[in-house]
Amino acid sequence: MVTINRRSALRYLGGAALAAPILPMLSQTAFAQELVVPNTLENFKRGTIHSMHPEQRSFTIIWEDLGRVKMKAADLVTNFNQIKVGNIVDVHWYDYMDFLIAKKTPETIARGDAMKKQNATLQGIPGAKEKIILWSMDGMVTKLDPATNTIFLIYKSGGEPDKPSPNSGEVIQLPPVVTPAGKAAMAQIKVGDEITTVWSRQTAIKATIIR
């Protein structure tokens, strides 16, 4: 039985330049392209730390409007070891970004794998040494919402490596597609298509402890 859990799906995934349009063949030069998360996706918000995950260098924070969200802490978060459960923290972070939205073919799978091996950098953050980890999600499209640029699919494979995989057959609501190329690719997708997608993680670059 297929079920939809919007809140848990968004927490699991939790929104983009360089998403690939749906093409029968992909240029080999695309594999050498630098992958960058633009500073237009930088956000600032105050929240309460719900849990810490030192082994993954990540934390879960509760925001009143977004609920509970888990994100990675970049190496720029130099006070990571000082953050405790219950702290109120001001966080600067980069949101999810779509790097690949495409019908699933051997070529698009290969491009997604190459992207994940390369990973991404943050625009305008020269002091960051660590790459922003990219992850993928594959599956069959069950619903398209052009108004919010959102794709729903039945989970098949992929997912962020430090988060539990969804149940087989679960319908996942992906983050909003925000790149022009991603939106163009989404416009060519139909319900029932098998697709592959690649995204960056939500990543904190600064966390100021308020109390």
Side-chain angles (χ1 to χ4, degrees):
M1 179 178 178
V2 173
T3 59
I4 298 177
N5 186 327
R6 181 178 183 275
R7 180 176 289 262
S8 65
L10 285 174
R11 288 176 188 164
Y12 173 78
L13 303 169
L18 305 177
I22 303 171
L23 298 172
M25 296 296 291
L26 295 170
S27 169
Q28 291 297 317
T29 60
F31 291 87
Q33 186 175 14
E34 184 179 6
L35 307 177
V36 180
V37 182
N39 53 25
T40 54
L41 294 179
E42 185 179 352
N43 299 277
F44 171 81
K45 193 177 289 291
R46 178 172 293 184
T48 303
I49 299 297
H50 179 268
S51 59
M52 296 294 299
H53 313 280
E55 73 286 356
Q56 301 163 2
R57 195 172 166 81
S58 65
F59 57 83
T60 303
I61 190 166
I62 297 176
W63 286 308
E64 289 186 2
D65 56 341
L66 297 178
R68 189 170 60 191
V69 175
K70 184 176 181 181
M71 66 174 58
K72 297 289 288 186
D75 54 308
L76 295 169
V77 183
T78 56
N79 63 338
F80 178 79
N81 293 333
Q82 301 171 27
I83 301 172
K84 308 297 182 185
V85 172
N87 283 160
I88 296 176
V89 180
D90 284 347
V91 180
H92 291 262
W93 88 100
Y94 278 66
D95 211 340
Y96 286 102
M97 170 176 162
D98 56 285
F99 278 88
L100 177 66
I101 306 290
K103 289 183 180 179
K104 193 172 183 179
T105 67
E107 291 81 8
T108 58
I109 291 172
R111 180 172 186 177
D113 288 343
M115 286 179 168
K116 288 186 291 181
K117 289 180 181 179
Q118 180 178 345
N119 290 315
T121 58
L122 297 176
Q123 182 183 32
I125 310 295
K129 297 182 177 63
E130 295 181 358
K131 291 275 192 171
I132 301 304
I133 296 175
L134 303 184
W135 55 276
S136 63
M137 178 69 74
D138 299 349
M140 185 182 74
V141 176
T142 62
K143 179 182 176 182
L144 297 163
D145 185 354
T148 60
N149 298 306
T150 305
I151 302 171
F152 297 75
L153 53 77
I154 295 178
Y155 171 73
K156 289 289 185 67
S157 63
E160 294 191 51
D162 65 348
K163 294 187 179 182
S165 296
N167 295 323
S168 179
E170 182 178 354
V171 174
I172 301 298
Q173 177 180 344
L174 295 174
V177 177
V178 296
T179 66
K183 292 174 183 178
M186 180 180 169
Q188 301 181 55
I189 294 172
K190 304 184 301 296
V191 171
D193 284 344
E194 291 277 347
I195 68 169
T196 183
T197 67
V198 176
W199 309 81
S200 64
R201 293 183 177 184
Q202 284 181 310
T203 303
I205 60 169
K206 184 178 181 180
T208 302
I209 301 171
I210 304 303
R211 61 179 182 273

PDB file of all heavy atoms in Angstrom, residues 109-123:
ATOM      1  N   ILE A 109      21.980   8.130 -15.447  1.00  0.00           N
ATOM      2  CA  ILE A 109      22.485   7.483 -14.234  1.00  0.00           C
ATOM      3  C   ILE A 109      23.987   7.718 -14.107  1.00  0.00           C
ATOM      4  O   ILE A 109      24.505   8.037 -13.032  1.00  0.00           O
ATOM      5  CB  ILE A 109      22.162   5.979 -14.244  1.00  0.00           C
ATOM      6  CG1 ILE A 109      20.657   5.757 -14.099  1.00  0.00           C
ATOM      7  CG2 ILE A 109      22.903   5.266 -13.103  1.00  0.00           C
ATOM      8  CD1 ILE A 109      20.236   4.321 -14.296  1.00  0.00           C
ATOM      9  N   ALA A 110      24.706   7.589 -15.236  1.00  0.00           N
ATOM     10  CA  ALA A 110      26.156   7.808 -15.229  1.00  0.00           C
ATOM     11  C   ALA A 110      26.478   9.254 -14.875  1.00  0.00           C
ATOM     12  O   ALA A 110      27.425   9.526 -14.119  1.00  0.00           O
ATOM     13  CB  ALA A 110      26.742   7.456 -16.599  1.00  0.00           C
ATOM     14  N   ARG A 111      25.691  10.193 -15.396  1.00  0.00           N
ATOM     15  CA  ARG A 111      25.951  11.595 -15.078  1.00  0.00           C
ATOM     16  C   ARG A 111      25.704  11.852 -13.591  1.00  0.00           C
ATOM     17  O   ARG A 111      26.481  12.540 -12.930  1.00  0.00           O
ATOM     18  CB  ARG A 111      25.060  12.503 -15.915  1.00  0.00           C
ATOM     19  CG  ARG A 111      25.308  13.970 -15.608  1.00  0.00           C
ATOM     20  CD  ARG A 111      24.601  14.904 -16.544  1.00  0.00           C
ATOM     21  NE  ARG A 111      25.004  16.276 -16.267  1.00  0.00           N
ATOM     22  CZ  ARG A 111      24.601  17.325 -16.967  1.00  0.00           C
ATOM     23  NH1 ARG A 111      23.795  17.167 -17.982  1.00  0.00           N
ATOM     24  NH2 ARG A 111      25.007  18.545 -16.642  1.00  0.00           N
ATOM     25  N   GLY A 112      24.621  11.296 -13.044  1.00  0.00           N
ATOM     26  CA  GLY A 112      24.349  11.472 -11.623  1.00  0.00           C
ATOM     27  C   GLY A 112      25.446  10.890 -10.749  1.00  0.00           C
ATOM     28  O   GLY A 112      25.853  11.496  -9.754  1.00  0.00           O
ATOM     29  N   ASP A 113      25.955   9.715 -11.132  1.00  0.00           N
ATOM     30  CA  ASP A 113      27.042   9.093 -10.363  1.00  0.00           C
ATOM     31  C   ASP A 113      28.290   9.963 -10.396  1.00  0.00           C
ATOM     32  O   ASP A 113      28.997  10.103  -9.386  1.00  0.00           O
ATOM     33  CB  ASP A 113      27.356   7.704 -10.927  1.00  0.00           C
ATOM     34  CG  ASP A 113      26.257   6.690 -10.617  1.00  0.00           C
ATOM     35  OD1 ASP A 113      25.433   6.954  -9.714  1.00  0.00           O
ATOM     36  OD2 ASP A 113      26.242   5.631 -11.277  1.00  0.00           O
ATOM     37  N   ALA A 114      28.575  10.558 -11.567  1.00  0.00           N
ATOM     38  CA  ALA A 114      29.747  11.428 -11.685  1.00  0.00           C
ATOM     39  C   ALA A 114      29.591  12.668 -10.818  1.00  0.00           C
ATOM     40  O   ALA A 114      30.544  13.128 -10.189  1.00  0.00           O
ATOM     41  CB  ALA A 114      29.954  11.821 -13.150  1.00  0.00           C
ATOM     42  N   MET A 115      28.384  13.220 -10.781  1.00  0.00           N
ATOM     43  CA  MET A 115      28.126  14.393  -9.940  1.00  0.00           C
ATOM     44  C   MET A 115      28.353  14.067  -8.472  1.00  0.00           C
ATOM     45  O   MET A 115      28.969  14.846  -7.731  1.00  0.00           O
ATOM     46  CB  MET A 115      26.697  14.880 -10.144  1.00  0.00           C
ATOM     47  CG  MET A 115      26.451  15.598 -11.454  1.00  0.00           C
ATOM     48  SD  MET A 115      24.717  16.111 -11.591  1.00  0.00           S
ATOM     49  CE  MET A 115      24.824  17.215 -13.005  1.00  0.00           C
ATOM     50  N   LYS A 116      27.882  12.918  -8.029  1.00  0.00           N
ATOM     51  CA  LYS A 116      28.019  12.544  -6.614  1.00  0.00           C
ATOM     52  C   LYS A 116      29.474  12.286  -6.244  1.00  0.00           C
ATOM     53  O   LYS A 116      29.868  12.502  -5.098  1.00  0.00           O
ATOM     54  CB  LYS A 116      27.148  11.318  -6.318  1.00  0.00           C
ATOM     55  CG  LYS A 116      25.663  11.640  -6.299  1.00  0.00           C
ATOM     56  CD  LYS A 116      24.832  10.454  -5.857  1.00  0.00           C
ATOM     57  CE  LYS A 116      24.844   9.347  -6.877  1.00  0.00           C
ATOM     58  NZ  LYS A 116      24.011   8.195  -6.454  1.00  0.00           N
ATOM     59  N   LYS A 117      30.269  11.823  -7.181  1.00  0.00           N
ATOM     60  CA  LYS A 117      31.693  11.647  -6.907  1.00  0.00           C
ATOM     61  C   LYS A 117      32.399  12.995  -6.814  1.00  0.00           C
ATOM     62  O   LYS A 117      33.341  13.170  -6.040  1.00  0.00           O
ATOM     63  CB  LYS A 117      32.333  10.798  -8.004  1.00  0.00           C
ATOM     64  CG  LYS A 117      31.925   9.333  -7.969  1.00  0.00           C
ATOM     65  CD  LYS A 117      32.595   8.564  -9.091  1.00  0.00           C
ATOM     66  CE  LYS A 117      32.170   7.100  -9.077  1.00  0.00           C
ATOM     67  NZ  LYS A 117      32.791   6.341 -10.187  1.00  0.00           N
ATOM     68  N   GLN A 118      31.938  13.965  -7.602  1.00  0.00           N
ATOM     69  CA  GLN A 118      32.570  15.275  -7.632  1.00  0.00           C
ATOM     70  C   GLN A 118      32.131  16.139  -6.447  1.00  0.00           C
ATOM     71  O   GLN A 118      32.923  16.861  -5.861  1.00  0.00           O
ATOM     72  CB  GLN A 118      32.192  15.978  -8.944  1.00  0.00           C
ATOM     73  CG  GLN A 118      32.799  17.365  -9.110  1.00  0.00           C
ATOM     74  CD  GLN A 118      32.413  17.976 -10.444  1.00  0.00           C
ATOM     75  OE1 GLN A 118      31.936  17.306 -11.354  1.00  0.00           O
ATOM     76  NE2 GLN A 118      32.622  19.273 -10.571  1.00  0.00           N
ATOM     77  N   ASN A 119      30.826  16.068  -6.109  1.00  0.00           N
ATOM     78  CA  ASN A 119      30.217  16.917  -5.086  1.00  0.00           C
ATOM     79  C   ASN A 119      30.300  18.390  -5.482  1.00  0.00           C
ATOM     80  O   ASN A 119      30.734  18.719  -6.588  1.00  0.00           O
ATOM     81  CB  ASN A 119      30.816  16.642  -3.711  1.00  0.00           C
ATOM     82  CG  ASN A 119      30.391  15.284  -3.181  1.00  0.00           C
ATOM     83  OD1 ASN A 119      29.227  14.921  -3.268  1.00  0.00           O
ATOM     84  ND2 ASN A 119      31.332  14.533  -2.646  1.00  0.00           N
ATOM     85  N   ALA A 120      29.879  19.309  -4.596  1.00  0.00           N
ATOM     86  CA  ALA A 120      29.704  20.710  -4.982  1.00  0.00           C
ATOM     87  C   ALA A 120      30.443  21.641  -4.038  1.00  0.00           C
ATOM     88  O   ALA A 120      30.885  21.242  -2.954  1.00  0.00           O
ATOM     89  CB  ALA A 120      28.213  21.058  -5.012  1.00  0.00           C
ATOM     90  N   THR A 121      30.552  22.900  -4.457  1.00  0.00           N
ATOM     91  CA  THR A 121      31.121  23.944  -3.621  1.00  0.00           C
ATOM     92  C   THR A 121      30.067  25.023  -3.400  1.00  0.00           C
ATOM     93  O   THR A 121      29.056  25.087  -4.110  1.00  0.00           O
ATOM     94  CB  THR A 121      32.363  24.582  -4.286  1.00  0.00           C
ATOM     95  OG1 THR A 121      31.983  25.113  -5.563  1.00  0.00           O
ATOM     96  CG2 THR A 121      33.451  23.547  -4.469  1.00  0.00           C
ATOM     97  N   LEU A 122      30.299  25.889  -2.398  1.00  0.00           N
ATOM     98  CA  LEU A 122      29.394  26.985  -2.092  1.00  0.00           C
ATOM     99  C   LEU A 122      29.909  28.269  -2.714  1.00  0.00           C
ATOM    100  O   LEU A 122      31.073  28.626  -2.553  1.00  0.00           O
ATOM    101  CB  LEU A 122      29.257  27.170  -0.578  1.00  0.00           C
ATOM    102  CG  LEU A 122      28.641  26.006   0.196  1.00  0.00           C
ATOM    103  CD1 LEU A 122      28.676  26.309   1.688  1.00  0.00           C
ATOM    104  CD2 LEU A 122      27.207  25.740  -0.254  1.00  0.00           C
ATOM    105  N   GLN A 123      29.060  28.975  -3.410  1.00  0.00           N
ATOM    106  CA  GLN A 123      29.447  30.237  -4.016  1.00  0.00           C
ATOM    107  C   GLN A 123      29.724  31.286  -2.944  1.00  0.00           C
ATOM    108  O   GLN A 123      28.960  31.447  -2.000  1.00  0.00           O
ATOM    109  CB  GLN A 123      28.336  30.736  -4.937  1.00  0.00           C
ATOM    110  CG  GLN A 123      28.661  32.032  -5.657  1.00  0.00           C
ATOM    111  CD  GLN A 123      27.501  32.526  -6.493  1.00  0.00           C
ATOM    112  OE1 GLN A 123      26.351  32.314  -6.155  1.00  0.00           O
ATOM    113  NE2 GLN A 123      27.822  33.185  -7.598  1.00  0.00           N
TER     114      GLN A 123
END
